[in-house]
Structure formats: structure tokens, C-alpha cells
Amino acid sequence: MVLLNMRLSCCTWNREMSNRMEFDQPPDRIMTYDGLESCILNANNSYEDESVASKVGDRCPTDSPSSCCSSNNASGSFFSQWSMVKRDEHEWDYSEDAMKFSDVDVMKEKFAKLLLGEDTTGGRNGVSPALALSNAITNLAGTVFGELWKLEPLPDEKKNKWRREMDWLLSPTNYMVQLVPAKQCGPDGQTIEIMTPQARGDVHLNLPALQKLDSMLLETLDSMTETEFSYDEGGSRAEGRSKRWWLPAPQVPVGGLSDGQRKKLLTQAKLVLQIFKAAKSVNEAILLEMPIPKAISDVLPKSGKESLGEDLYRILNRGSSSACDMCNALSLKSENSALDAINRLEAAIYAWKDKIEEHDSGKSPARTSWSCKDHVAELDKIELLISRAESLAQEIKIRYPDLPQKFLDVMKIQNGKDVAHAIIEAYSRVLGNLAFSILTRIGDISQEDVLSDPDSPMATNSTPGPGSWIYLD
Amino acid sequence: MVLLNMRLSCCTWNREMSNRMEFDQPPDRIMTYDGLESCILNANNSYEDESVASKVGDRCPTDSPSSCCSSNNASGSFFSQWSMVKRDEHEWDYSEDAMKFSDVDVMKEKFAKLLLGEDTTGGRNGVSPALALSNAITNLAGTVFGELWKLEPLPDEKKNKWRREMDWLLSPTNYMVQLVPAKQCGPDGQTIEIMTPQARGDVHLNLPALQKLDSMLLETLDSMTETEFSYDEGGSRAEGRSKRWWLPAPQVPVGGLSDGQRKKLLTQAKLVLQIFKAAKSVNEAILLEMPIPKAISDVLPKSGKESLGEDLYRILNRGSSSACDMCNALSLKSENSALDAINRLEAAIYAWKDKIEEHDSGKSPARTSWSCKDHVAELDKIELLISRAESLAQEIKIRYPDLPQKFLDVMKIQNGKDVAHAIIEAYSRVLGNLAFSILTRIGDISQEDVLSDPDSPMATNSTPGPGSWIYLD
């Protein structure tokens, strides 16, 4: 069993945005959405010695690195590429012509309610359009995918609803522009500098990537036909036979799955894991860009120690222990305690960074009372604490990859005014959740497979959730 | 020449909303939108001794008062009536089936931009949905009607655009509800009180009325066919012949219009004047309901005298002079000075009312230092000043019926959060402006008619603007 470099890539969430889509590319290349699909597929193919007869995998016969990455071309070309791909009906094949008249009414109702900000009394207490859009994306995903208890193709009706309504909810991004300087030839032959409108950087970078991930997830579900596993509906079984008897239970043939089916499932799991990480990395990067609302930053404790509490503060200050040791010392009992620890760490990091910023801008009142030497030592200590707190938080996130939203993130979303941030955050979040659900369901199947055939190679991946897939052999 | 009771009705702008639509009905009846059209038409017919061959007038052959007013029925019935009329394709004949696919894109773009609050960089600096909708209605009216330099039917293309896009902009009101208590029979025969959703009161009362006024204005324009007057396009005339030579100039036959044409024009003017007043009264009532934003009320002078300035304060305090005398004493030179006077009066009224409210709630700091007698005298004086300021403001409004928006109103609109208020305010404002333009154009024609035939009965109405129409004989 080898620890894949995926785990490393999982730690790169705080790299700069343009590097976000890299998984196993040399760091001097900037990868765009264009290379994303083939890159993820190539990453998968390289784990296998033989070609895998997966529907999705077949679409990427070459694994030359140059086919994975578009070069770091000029922004003008980026833009035209983006426009082109957005119109590419093959990849994102929602077509206006398919819209029925009744859909127009649904669309009008949807938009009208968004404008009311979910306040049906008239919008006086409505939320901002940014939050309304974010909630609408969350709710749409909930309606279409639900808890996703079964691995099977999404019914056409649901798939159409998802694509149609996401198209509406994403539509504000089509009208977002930023003005960038460009050169133009004047009538007298002189070159003049003008401002030209261009798609907003973060929208242009993330949205096509997310749409690609979206398509890939739906394709993965679509490929779940003629499977050897099936589902037993909850109602037909006696109570007590299963812990969650009311849910569909996976069934595999006596003696386990065939080798072909196992390989296909493993390939799908690896693909979906990459999608999960990509979506999560977009989500984390956009959340970092979103400002902490002033009302919240005003009430956060100004001292890092106060935010952390005794235990966490002691652990962070305990000499040279590694992130892993610190995490073990915390002895987290549940997701809740993990979330609480991360919330405290983030509040402390915020307070410390604020202190450093205050010092850098010369506003710190402490400056006058400290001796210079003490002062430098204090700042060094704060920087060390920030770095240790960040690695501890990262370690906790790796151990609990599907934690609920963190306090500061929830506040950022609920108070955000930027529509693009809201849309990208929500879209990447629901895609990440969908990928996580698919991984969990594949985990269910492999668990069932191992029960039927204890020698199954699925044994190492039989616990649900992406955590187990990081160690894929 | 008789002073019509229209002038009186013009002063009723601060009556309670439910009475708003009355013009010449006994005050114990509450009139709904249902009676509005026939009522306005009846009011017109009663000025004429003979039946007028106007297309619109013909539609109301009876002038029995009972046909004008629906009775003050229960709110449940109000609601069903409202729903019914909203679906009445004859009155508001925008049909979804007529929507083309390209319209769907236009609609999506419109809504997406509304959600961005006119901030194409991404909505972070966007205005509230309420203001975005208000501005969109204003801009749509500007695009469709423009300055309305000619009396002629609106081209179908523009009419369709107006109806289609107004339907989108009004759509949030379809999803506004308020919960009202209602009785329901429980399964055990007991009557239980439940809350049922109902259309919001102000929406339910005003929106169908405004849609009726809208239809009537478009019908009036539609009836401007086979006219004896015509327009000379600006380009064909030599500069200097007319003050505004670049605009279409009305032309009447040598010797003036025929009697039939004159009567038709007069009837239309009276109808449009009533529509103007109805729209203005809805607009003023909704503006009264909209709160003054806190940021503005905080910075308004706390003293009425300070708001008024020396001149206005002296005039208000000058003994027993009437509103008319006070207005003459002001010797207003222009619309600007009239607007300035009204702004000052409104700020002073606000400050005084605030003082009275403070006293009533026992918060006034002055209470401790004044003797009780002085105090009562002071409050009486303030109440007198408020009443005089209100009648002076009303007098100025009558003399300048088409003043630009007042400062406090602009602030209310720009800071309003309530989508229903914003929509009703903007819709009634643009309808009022359209009616005013039509009246002005009819005034242009009658001026031209009087030039061609000095004995024309149009002579008394030959100055443009509704001011002159108030004295219609």
C-alpha cells in the first residue's frame, strides 16, 4: 500500500488560485479547466498497469503530459477559450430549445423569489441576492441528489432539472465583467490604451472547471448500469437485520463481485476522489477570498490564547511535536469536537495575524512599552504559533474530510455580498458533497463485497468515506 | 368655467389608502380597481351633455353609481377577484404562449442583472433588489415611451416589450403573501382558527389598479388614429421658425380642428387627467408608507426653523394668511425654487412631528425645564405650524403638478428594502409621467388649434400640462 501524492496535493489548499487545479504536474505549469478532465483521468490511468474498460477512462487514451495542460497563455486567449467552452453543447449540453413554456414560468418564479431574498412578505427582511443564490444552489442540489442512497444513473428528469436550473442560477456570472487595459490602434496609427471588458478572473478560472467536474460526476453515475451489485429496498426486509434497515441496502452476488467489476469500481472511486479534492480545493480557495464580515471580526476575541482555550493553547506550545502528535494529543472524540477545535484554531490564527498586521502598520500600542528585543521575540513566537496552528488544523481536516461548515465560513457565506463568490462557493460545495456521497456508496459496495469474499482486493477500501480512499493501492 | 371637484380630489392624497381611488363617490363606499375604469369614464361622461363618440368612452354606457363601485366585501372575495382579474387576458393580454425562445434569454439576462443590483463587477457594490427593480421599471418606461413627442398609437413592438418586461418586473409581487387568520372546520366539527396566506394588502389593492390605468393609457394612445392633426418632423423645417425646431411640431388643418375632433381630444384629456391623478395619488400614498431611512433622519436638522430658513419660517408664522397667500408671498420663480420650498417644508414637518412624538412618549428633555402652560402652548404652536406647512406644500404641488422627485422621496426610494413598495412606487410614477406627457401633447395640439382658429373652444386649455386641465369646462 503506498501513500499517494494525492495526499500531498490535498495539503495545497492555500496555494495561490492559479495553481489550484494541479495534481501531479510540474509546478511551473498553470493548468486550466481544459486540461482538468484528461489530467484527472491520466492520474487514474497511471495507477493501473493495464487499460481499464471504464466508459469514462476510455475517453483519454493518451497520457502525454502536454495533453493535460494548456500553456500559460495570455488572458485574451483565456477569455476566448472560456467563451468557446461555455458554448460547447457537448460538454454542458443544456439547450435552450429544449425549454418548454411551463419552464419559463418556473424560471420566472425562481428569479422572482430570488429577488425577494426568500422573504415572501415583500423582501424587506430578505437576504442579499448573493446569499439567496447560494441557498438556492444548496437547495437545488438537495432536491436533485438528496442523500444519494444508490449508485445508479440519475433519472433524466432530475438531470434536466439540475442542468436547467443551475443554468439559471449561474446566469448572473455571465454578466460579470472586469475592465482590463488593452492596446488599440487609433485612426492615426497611434497605439492607444483602452479598457476592455473581460470575464471576472475568479469566475473565468473556476466556473468552467466546476462545470466540468459536474459533468464528470453525472457521467460517473450514468456509467453505473449493468452492475453486478444491486439494492434491496428497505421495506422488504425485517427490522433488526441491518442497522439502517429502512435504507436501500447494497447486495452483491454470492462469492463477491467479478474482477472486472471490482476494477471498474476502483477506477470510479479514484476518479471521484480526485473530483472531490478538486471541488474542495476550489471551495477552500474561494472561502479564503471571501472577507470575514466586520460584525464578526469585531466580536472575535482579540487574543489568540482566549480563542484557543487552555488545552489547545498548551498543545500548540508543547515544544517540537509534529502536527500528527498534536492531533493525537487532542484525542478528538467526534466530528463535533474536531469542528470545535478547527473553529478555535481559525479564530486564534485570525487574532494573531491581526496583531502582526497591526505591528507592521505601526499601530500596535504595545510598541511603546516593550523593549525592541522582547518585541521581535514576541512576533517570532506568534508566527511560530500561526504556523503550528495551521498545520494542526490541516491535520484535523485530513482526518475528518467531510466536516460541517466552519463558523467563520458560515459567517462569510451568510454575510457575503459578492454574487460570484457566493455562486462559486455553493457550486463547489454541493459538487464536493455529491462526490463524497458517491465515494461513500462505493465504500458500501466494497464492504458488502468483502463480506461475501474475504479475499476481495476491495478489503483495504471497505470503510465508507474518502478517508479510506487516500490509501488506494 | 367651473372649478371641478377634481381639484378637491387632488387634495385627498393623504387620505387612507382604501379611499384612494374615489373621485366622485360617496365617502362611505370603498372603491376597488374593478370600478376604477367605469368610474373614471363615468366621471368624464357626466361633464358632457351628449354622448361622446370616443372609442374608450363608448365602453361605459351606464353611469349608475352602483356599477362603479364594488361593495366593501370580505377580503377572501377581494383576493379571488384579484386573482381572477390578473388572469383576465382581455384586460392585460400578455400571453406566455407568445413568448419566443429569444425572449427567454432576454428574461434570464434581465433577472440576472437585477440580482447583480446593476453592479457588473459581481454584485458586491450592487444596489438592493428593491432599488434594482425600481430603476429597471424607470428605465424600461424611458426606453418604451421616451419623451413621447407625438400622439399616435404605440408601435406593436414597443407595446409588447412594455407588457412583456413589466410582467417580469412585476413578477416578485406574485409571490408576496401575508398570513391572515381564518376559520376552518376541524374534523371533529369544531371551528379552529388557522393562518392562511393572502396577497399582500398594498399589492392587492394597488397593482391591479395600476395595470388598469396602464391599459387605459395605452388604449388612449391606440385611439389616436385618423386624427386631423399631424406632425411635421423637425428636420424638414428651417431653424428659427420654432423654439424647438428639432422636435416634431403639431400641425392642424387651416381653420382649426373639426368640432368632433375637438370633443374627442377634450374627452381624452379629461380621461388622461383622471389617470394622472389616480397614478399620482397611488404614488404619494405608497411614498408615505415608505420609511425615511435612518441615516437620513439622523442628519436632518432637529429644528423645524433651521430646515425652513428665514423666509419660509416668517411666512408660515405670518398670522392668518391662507395657503394661497403664503404661496404668493413666496414668489416662486421656477420649478427648482418650488422643489426647494417643498423639501424644506417636509424636513420641518418631519422635525416637528418628531418633537410631538418625543413629547407624547415622555422622552422630551424640554419637559423638565418648561412650565406646563408654556409647554402646552408650544405644542399647540407646533401643531398649527405643521398644518400650515402641509397646506402650503399642497398648494405648491397644485401649482407645480409635475415637480421632480422630492429629496425625502428620493432617499426613501434609494434606501428602500421593500420590493412591493419599490415596484408600486416606480410603476405609479412612470404611469403618472406618461399621463402627464400625453396631456402636454394634447395641450400642444390645442395651442396649435387656437392659433388656426382663435374662436376654438380649446382656447381655455391651450397651455401644456395638467395645470390648465384642472379648469376644464
Side-chain angles (χ1 to χ4, degrees):
Chain A
M1 204 191 311
V2 289
L3 184 65
L4 291 187
N5 64 352
M6 290 182 208
R7 176 152 177 184
L8 292 172
S9 77
C10 199
C11 300
T12 61
W13 58 280
N14 51 0
R15 274 197 219 168
E16 58 170 322
M17 276 189 76
S18 55
N19 283 330
R20 187 172 320 132
M21 291 305 148
E22 293 183 69
F23 290 103
D24 50 1
Q25 297 307 315
D28 56 331
R29 284 165 182 275
I30 293 180
M31 207 186 67
T32 65
Y33 60 90
D34 256 353
L36 186 72
E37 183 176 18
S38 50
C39 186
I40 288 181
L41 295 173
N42 283 339
N44 270 338
N45 283 348
S46 64
Y47 309 137
E48 308 282 333
D49 291 326
E50 53 190 286
S51 74
V52 177
S54 122
K55 179 190 162 196
V56 185
D58 274 343
R59 290 178 55 189
C60 189
T62 165
D63 61 4
S64 129
S66 66
S67 74
C68 296
C69 300
S70 70
S71 62
N72 184 5
N73 45 8
S75 61
S77 155
F78 260 77
F79 184 58
S80 62
Q81 260 185 307
W82 179 63
S83 320
M84 195 188 65
V85 170
K86 273 184 77 76
R87 278 194 292 270
D88 183 347
E89 297 293 305
H90 173 68
E91 293 299 340
W92 182 247
D93 62 353
Y94 171 68
S95 145
E96 289 290 343
D97 294 335
M99 187 180 261
K100 291 176 210 136
F101 286 123
S102 62
D103 290 343
V104 177
D105 284 336
V106 178
M107 169 166 148
K108 202 163 65 178
E109 176 173 346
K110 202 115 202 167
F111 277 118
K113 287 184 174 169
L114 284 172
L115 284 171
L116 289 179
E118 303 162 8
D119 170 20
T120 50
T121 67
R124 203 183 301 195
N125 305 311
V127 301
S128 70
L131 180 55
L133 281 163
S134 173
N135 290 344
I137 292 173
T138 311
N139 294 339
L140 176 62
T143 310
V144 171
F145 303 112
E147 296 272 353
L148 199 90
W149 291 115
K150 291 183 186 180
L151 288 178
E152 61 184 10
L154 203 64
D156 278 349
E157 188 200 343
K158 284 193 168 185
K159 210 188 306 181
N160 290 339
K161 181 184 170 73
W162 171 249
R163 293 206 162 150
R164 189 176 57 237
E165 300 197 6
M166 275 308 288
D167 180 70
W168 304 340
L169 296 173
L170 297 179
S171 63
T173 59
N174 293 339
Y175 308 102
M176 280 177 203
V177 286
Q178 58 190 6
L179 292 175
V180 292
K183 297 222 185 306
Q184 197 184 40
C185 259
D188 52 354
Q190 268 193 315
T191 308
I192 47 174
E193 191 156 280
I194 55 164
M195 300 301 277
T196 53
Q198 220 171 66
R200 228 178 84 161
D202 48 0
V203 170
H204 155 53
L205 190 71
N206 290 308
L207 205 59
L210 290 175
Q211 288 178 325
K212 182 77 79 178
L213 296 177
D214 184 348
S215 292
M216 290 168 82
L217 283 177
L218 294 193
E219 276 170 19
T220 303
L221 285 177
D222 278 346
S223 72
M224 299 287 184
T225 51
E226 299 173 26
T227 55
E228 291 169 15
F229 57 87
S230 61
Y231 290 90
D232 189 6
E233 290 301 333
S236 65
R237 271 165 299 134
E239 197 170 335
R241 194 184 137 189
S242 151
K243 266 188 204 160
R244 297 178 303 177
W245 59 270
W246 60 91
L247 298 175
Q251 306 280 310
V252 298
V254 180
L257 300 171
S258 70
D259 278 356
Q261 178 82 85
R262 281 173 185 161
K263 265 184 195 142
K264 185 180 167 189
L265 266 184
L266 269 180
T267 313
Q268 285 169 328
K270 286 170 188 165
L271 175 74
V272 175
L273 177 64
Q274 294 288 33
I275 296 174
F276 171 75
K277 286 180 182 171
K280 206 157 175 69
S281 118
V282 171
N283 188 260
E284 285 176 348
I286 211 79
L287 278 166
L288 275 184
E289 272 191 31
M290 291 167 77
I292 296 180
K294 199 172 170 314
I296 300 302
S297 64
D298 284 352
V299 296
L300 283 179
K302 293 285 163 273
S303 130
K305 191 174 173 183
E306 198 181 323
S307 295
L308 290 171
E310 272 304 316
D311 285 358
L312 260 171
Y313 188 71
R314 215 180 39 242
I315 289 172
L316 278 188
N317 277 287
R318 196 187 288 164
S320 58
S321 52
S322 70
C324 191
D325 292 343
M326 289 192 286
C327 198
N328 292 336
L330 266 178
S331 59
L332 298 168
K333 297 273 184 305
S334 63
E335 281 210 338
N336 273 349
S337 54
L339 184 63
D340 180 62
I342 288 189
N343 282 337
R344 287 168 178 277
L345 287 167
E346 290 205 336
I349 292 169
Y350 180 77
W352 285 326
K353 286 194 171 163
D354 217 40
K355 205 169 265 178
I356 291 180
E357 212 165 90
E358 258 179 17
H359 167 259
D360 289 349
S361 60
K363 271 190 249 156
S364 168
R367 214 179 188 183
T368 51
S369 58
W370 288 355
S371 76
C372 189
K373 202 176 154 195
D374 282 357
H375 189 55
V376 170
E378 177 75 12
L379 284 183
D380 282 350
K381 194 187 160 197
I382 289 181
E383 266 163 19
L384 179 70
L385 282 174
I386 291 179
S387 126
R388 289 172 62 81
E390 280 176 345
S391 44
L392 175 55
Q394 196 52 39
E395 178 68 24
I396 300 175
K397 280 182 206 163
I398 291 171
R399 295 198 189 181
Y400 295 86
D402 196 43
L403 280 182
Q405 286 178 309
K406 292 171 286 174
F407 172 73
L408 283 183
D409 293 348
V410 172
M411 290 302 116
K412 285 173 175 181
I413 294 167
Q414 295 205 332
N415 296 277
K417 296 270 172 260
D418 191 299
V419 171
H421 283 168
I423 288 177
I424 294 171
E425 189 283 324
Y427 197 13
S428 56
R429 174 162 39 79
V430 300
L431 289 182
N433 289 345
L434 175 60
F436 188 86
S437 298
I438 295 176
L439 283 176
T440 311
R441 293 293 88 79
I442 297 180
D444 292 347
I445 304 284
S446 56
Q447 223 172 354
E448 206 62 28
D449 184 43
V450 172
L451 284 179
S452 302
D453 173 13
D455 299 332
S456 164
M458 307 282 268
T460 48
N461 317 109
S462 58
T463 47
S468 59
W469 298 106
I470 289 172
Y471 301 93
L472 278 176
D473 61 338
Chain B
M1 206 192 310
V2 289
L3 184 65
L4 291 188
N5 63 353
M6 291 183 209
R7 177 152 176 185
L8 292 172
S9 77
C10 198
C11 300
T12 62
W13 57 280
N14 51 0
R15 273 198 219 167
E16 57 169 324
M17 276 189 76
S18 55
N19 283 330
R20 187 172 321 132
M21 291 304 147
E22 293 182 69
F23 290 104
D24 50 0
Q25 298 306 316
D28 56 330
R29 285 164 182 276
I30 293 179
M31 207 186 68
T32 65
Y33 60 89
D34 255 354
L36 185 73
E37 182 175 17
S38 50
C39 186
I40 288 181
L41 295 172
N42 284 339
N44 269 338
N45 283 348
S46 65
Y47 308 138
E48 308 281 332
D49 291 325
E50 52 189 289
S51 73
V52 178
S54 121
K55 179 190 162 196
V56 185
D58 275 350
R59 290 179 54 188
C60 188
T62 165
D63 60 5
S64 129
S66 65
S67 74
C68 296
C69 299
S70 69
S71 63
N72 184 3
N73 45 8
S75 61
S77 155
F78 260 77
F79 184 59
S80 62
Q81 260 185 307
W82 179 62
S83 319
M84 194 188 66
V85 170
K86 274 185 76 78
R87 278 194 292 271
D88 183 347
E89 296 294 304
H90 173 69
E91 294 299 341
W92 182 247
D93 62 353
Y94 170 68
S95 144
E96 288 290 345
D97 294 335
M99 187 180 262
K100 290 175 210 137
F101 286 122
S102 63
D103 290 344
V104 177
D105 284 336
V106 178
M107 170 166 146
K108 202 164 65 179
E109 177 173 347
K110 202 116 202 167
F111 276 118
K113 287 184 174 169
L114 284 172
L115 283 170
L116 289 179
E118 303 162 9
D119 170 20
T120 50
T121 67
R124 202 183 301 195
N125 305 311
V127 301
S128 69
L131 180 54
L133 281 164
S134 173
N135 290 345
I137 292 173
T138 310
N139 294 339
L140 177 62
T143 310
V144 171
F145 303 113
E147 296 272 352
L148 199 91
W149 291 115
K150 290 182 186 182
L151 288 177
E152 61 185 10
L154 204 63
D156 279 348
E157 187 200 344
K158 285 194 168 184
K159 210 188 307 181
N160 290 339
K161 181 183 170 74
W162 171 248
R163 293 205 161 151
R164 188 176 57 237
E165 300 197 7
M166 275 308 288
D167 179 70
W168 304 340
L169 296 174
L170 297 180
S171 63
T173 59
N174 293 338
Y175 308 102
M176 280 177 202
V177 286
Q178 58 190 5
L179 292 175
V180 292
K183 296 219 184 310
Q184 198 184 39
C185 259
D188 52 353
Q190 269 193 316
T191 309
I192 48 174
E193 191 155 279
I194 55 164
M195 300 301 277
T196 53
Q198 219 171 67
R200 226 177 86 160
D202 48 359
V203 170
H204 155 54
L205 191 72
N206 290 308
L207 205 59
L210 290 175
Q211 289 178 324
K212 183 76 80 177
L213 296 177
D214 184 347
S215 292
M216 290 168 82
L217 283 177
L218 294 193
E219 276 170 20
T220 304
L221 285 177
D222 278 346
S223 72
M224 298 287 185
T225 51
E226 298 172 28
T227 54
E228 290 169 15
F229 57 87
S230 61
Y231 289 90
D232 190 5
E233 289 301 334
S236 65
R237 271 165 299 134
E239 197 170 336
R241 194 185 137 188
S242 151
K243 266 189 205 160
R244 298 179 302 177
W245 60 270
W246 60 92
L247 297 176
Q251 306 279 310
V252 298
V254 180
L257 300 170
S258 70
D259 278 357
Q261 179 82 86
R262 281 172 185 161
K263 266 185 195 142
K264 185 180 167 189
L265 265 184
L266 268 180
T267 313
Q268 285 169 328
K270 286 169 187 165
L271 174 74
V272 175
L273 177 64
Q274 294 288 34
I275 295 173
F276 171 75
K277 286 180 182 170
K280 207 159 175 67
S281 119
V282 171
N283 188 259
E284 285 175 347
I286 212 79
L287 277 166
L288 274 183
E289 272 190 31
M290 291 167 77
I292 295 180
K294 198 170 171 314
I296 301 301
S297 64
D298 284 352
V299 296
L300 283 179
K302 294 284 163 274
S303 129
K305 191 174 173 182
E306 199 182 322
S307 295
L308 289 171
E310 271 304 315
D311 285 358
L312 259 172
Y313 188 72
R314 214 179 41 243
I315 289 172
L316 278 188
N317 277 288
R318 196 187 288 164
S320 58
S321 52
S322 70
C324 191
D325 291 343
M326 289 192 287
C327 197
N328 291 337
L330 266 178
S331 60
L332 298 168
K333 297 273 184 304
S334 63
E335 281 209 337
N336 273 349
S337 54
L339 184 63
D340 179 62
I342 288 188
N343 282 337
R344 288 167 177 277
L345 287 167
E346 290 206 336
I349 291 169
Y350 179 78
W352 285 325
K353 286 194 171 164
D354 216 40
K355 205 169 266 179
I356 291 181
E357 212 165 89
E358 258 179 17
H359 167 259
D360 288 350
S361 61
K363 271 190 250 158
S364 168
R367 216 179 186 184
T368 51
S369 57
W370 288 355
S371 76
C372 188
K373 201 175 155 196
D374 282 357
H375 190 56
V376 170
E378 177 75 13
L379 285 182
D380 282 350
K381 195 188 159 195
I382 288 180
E383 267 164 18
L384 180 70
L385 282 174
I386 290 178
S387 126
R388 288 171 64 81
E390 280 176 345
S391 44
L392 175 54
Q394 196 52 38
E395 178 69 24
I396 299 175
K397 279 182 205 163
I398 291 171
R399 295 197 190 182
Y400 295 87
D402 195 43
L403 280 182
Q405 287 178 309
K406 293 171 285 175
F407 172 73
L408 283 182
D409 293 348
V410 172
M411 290 301 116
K412 285 173 176 181
I413 294 167
Q414 294 204 333
N415 296 277
K417 296 270 172 260
D418 191 298
V419 172
H421 283 167
I423 288 177
I424 294 171
E425 188 283 325
Y427 196 14
S428 57
R429 174 162 39 79
V430 301
L431 289 182
N433 289 345
L434 175 61
F436 188 85
S437 298
I438 295 176
L439 283 176
T440 312
R441 294 293 88 79
I442 296 180
D444 292 346
I445 304 284
S446 57
Q447 223 172 355
E448 206 63 29
D449 184 43
V450 172
L451 285 179
S452 302
D453 173 14
D455 298 331
S456 165
M458 306 282 268
T460 49
N461 317 108
S462 58
T463 48
S468 58
W469 298 106
I470 289 172
Y471 301 94
L472 278 176
D473 61 339

